[in-house]
Amino acid sequence: MRAVGIVATGSYLPKEEVGNEELAAAAGVTPEWILARTRISSRRFAAAGESTADLAVRAAERALDRIDPAELGHVIVSTSTADTPQPPVSVTVQHAVGATGAACFDVNAVCSGFVYGLAVARDLVAESGRPVLVVAADVYSRILDFSDRRTAVLFGDGAGAAVVGPVPGPAHGPAQGSAQGSAQGSAPGSAPSGFLGFELASDGSRQGLIRVEDGFFRMEGRQVKEFVLERVPPALAALAARHGHSLSDVDVFIPHQANGVLVTELAERAGLGGALMPRTVDRYGNVGSASVAVTLDEANRAGMVRHGDLVLLAGFGGGMAIGAGLLRWAAQEEER
């Protein structure tokens, strides 16, 4: 099996910055209350004429700045805030960037969607060898009830993207999903490159914890927190163990930027305190399925993710769904 990883990233955040002072009064709280409970100081809102598809296209263009769109085999867009029921956002992205040979489809696993898209893309690239563009974009500002302090202060709008393709180095091996398979795919003394594996899970019995009701986003915050802290750490540990690692081996941990306080508690509960954990939640808030993608792009462009790093991505949220991906970062030759 060929080694498949992330070969490029991109992101786009709208220009309008919305501070806590602008939201506090309507939500019946103070700016200090928002910061203390979320660690969010600002977020971005899409302009009146700016659609989810517009954000997705901008992020895609930045991920493709050194890649020919005509080489793409597929375009996958993750969103739970599509502009219309159809056509899919992905065909708008395809047309805008010139990926004329790509098959297109959208996925909706809410805040886990970007990782779900990466999992599908890994298998598509392993089969065909052609790169796949995965974009995550959400515009939550248009479905928020600004009088609801549980949700109005948390969310922002944005988009992130990654190109998944073949990477240099040994693959994770034919016995996919096991530590033995990882070892079989490696040359002596070398670590597998690219994606090692994924952990995807859903619990439909708790689907009512996060929902859109009468046109507004609703969330049972306390129960969502309990779900995340109960279910995500063992899922991450199981993924690492299948590939011969413990969570203490992780160099860079990029979780869904749901809430700054929750993210800190999650890392501690999972035993990931020794990993570098880039954050964007303080500046952009929770941007739904785009949050992992946006944070990964910023970390990549800042040089926080280095060749050979063991990187753990974790999405969680509506559904209730969990999506985790473990990869050995393989920088392109010009970046080494």
Side-chain angles (χ1 to χ4, degrees), residues 297-328:
D297 177 53
E298 291 210 350
N300 181 30
R301 291 174 184 270
M304 300 169 73
V305 188
R306 300 170 298 179
H307 182 73
D309 279 351
L310 188 64
V311 179
L312 178 61
L313 311 176
F316 45 83
M320 296 292 287
I322 298 169
L326 186 68
L327 67 154
R328 182 73 64 179

Side-chain angles (χ1 to χ4, degrees), residues 181-239:
S182 297
Q184 289 173 347
S186 306
S190 63
S193 296
F195 287 110
L196 306 184
F198 291 88
E199 179 80 5
L200 308 178
S202 302
D203 183 353
S205 71
R206 305 193 195 187
Q207 62 183 285
L209 298 184
I210 298 176
R211 62 200 184 278
V212 175
E213 188 174 85
D214 297 326
F216 290 114
F217 183 91
R218 303 296 185 193
M219 181 172 66
E220 307 304 325
R222 186 179 300 276
Q223 295 176 66
V224 169
K225 178 180 178 180
E226 291 172 355
F227 173 87
V228 171
L229 296 180
E230 171 193 341
R231 297 284 295 274
V232 175
L236 301 181
L239 172 60

